[in-house]
Amino acid sequence: MTETIANAAESDDALMRRFCSGDEAAFGLLYERFAPDLGIFLRRFVQDTTLAEDLLQTTFLSFVRARGRYVPSVGLRAWIFTIAANAARDALRRRSARREDAVPPDVLGNVEGESPAASDPQMAEAIETALQQLPPDQREAVLLHKLHGLSFPEVASALGTTVAAAKVRAHRGYQRLRVLLAPWENK
């Protein structure tokens, strides 16, 4: 039990160093640490639970293959979300997916727990519908920043853009969400 507590406190970079040195247990800890957030992100991104599950596995496969290219100054969280976002974009391009389909309400929770809207199915649906009305670059920035807690430098890294551009995308997304969700403000 104390080993589990110690591993929970171990930094992402320390676990990554252990994994790169051949410690298989470190990979398991990294998977447990990142898989839940990545799964939520991918479900919202591609709006297909089965595809998101496949992409989660693809993300970790790419993560394992690319471990030698990891640069600690980037930050592991940003790096793995970049891998996931790239896998999702590639899958959507290949599939020419229609991204207007609604996402089931069970994926509306954020990484800190369920969204307050989750207790109100109509509100949850309104939020999800509003998110889907955002341009993809704004939606990605909002999801990464607000729901997955990435800093703007991490968002920028995940999106392959500058910090300023990531902030602009998120800010525009938040502004548009405020307009789209205005009818719900006093409910």
Side-chain angles (χ1 to χ4, degrees), residues 181-187:
L181 295 171
W184 290 90
E185 191 172 331
N186 296 322
K187 289 189 177 187

Side-chain angles (χ1 to χ4, degrees), residues 114-163:
E114 284 299 313
S115 163
S119 62
D120 181 351
Q122 290 178 328
M123 176 71 156
E125 185 176 336
I127 291 170
E128 194 58 39
T129 299
L131 279 169
Q132 298 315 313
Q133 291 178 35
L134 296 178
D137 61 335
Q138 291 176 14
R139 182 172 52 246
E140 286 178 72
V142 167
L143 288 173
L144 290 169
H145 181 250
K146 191 66 170 179
L147 296 175
H148 295 286
L150 270 67
S151 67
F152 280 115
E154 292 172 324
V155 171
S157 177
L159 297 178
T161 188
T162 65
V163 173

Side-chain angles (χ1 to χ4, degrees), residues 55-162:
L55 289 171
L56 182 62
Q57 299 311 311
T58 299
T59 297
F60 278 99
L61 181 61
S62 296
F63 172 79
V64 168
R65 289 180 177 160
R67 68 183 175 261
R69 294 191 307 255
Y70 172 66
V71 178
S73 63
V74 171
L76 187 58
R77 186 171 177 78
W79 189 62
I80 198 164
F81 270 91
T82 300
I83 293 170
N86 287 339
R89 282 188 212 103
D90 290 346
L92 290 173
R93 266 194 298 273
R94 281 191 307 272
R95 191 173 83 163
S96 298
R98 293 197 56 194
R99 294 167 58 155
E100 295 86 31
D101 298 332
V103 175
D106 65 305
V107 298
L108 289 173
N110 62 29
V111 295
E112 299 165 359
E114 284 299 313
S115 163
S119 62
D120 181 351
Q122 290 178 328
M123 176 71 156
E125 185 176 336
I127 291 170
E128 194 58 39
T129 299
L131 279 169
Q132 298 315 313
Q133 291 178 35
L134 296 178
D137 61 335
Q138 291 176 14
R139 182 172 52 246
E140 286 178 72
V142 167
L143 288 173
L144 290 169
H145 181 250
K146 191 66 170 179
L147 296 175
H148 295 286
L150 270 67
S151 67
F152 280 115
E154 292 172 324
V155 171
S157 177
L159 297 178
T161 188
T162 65

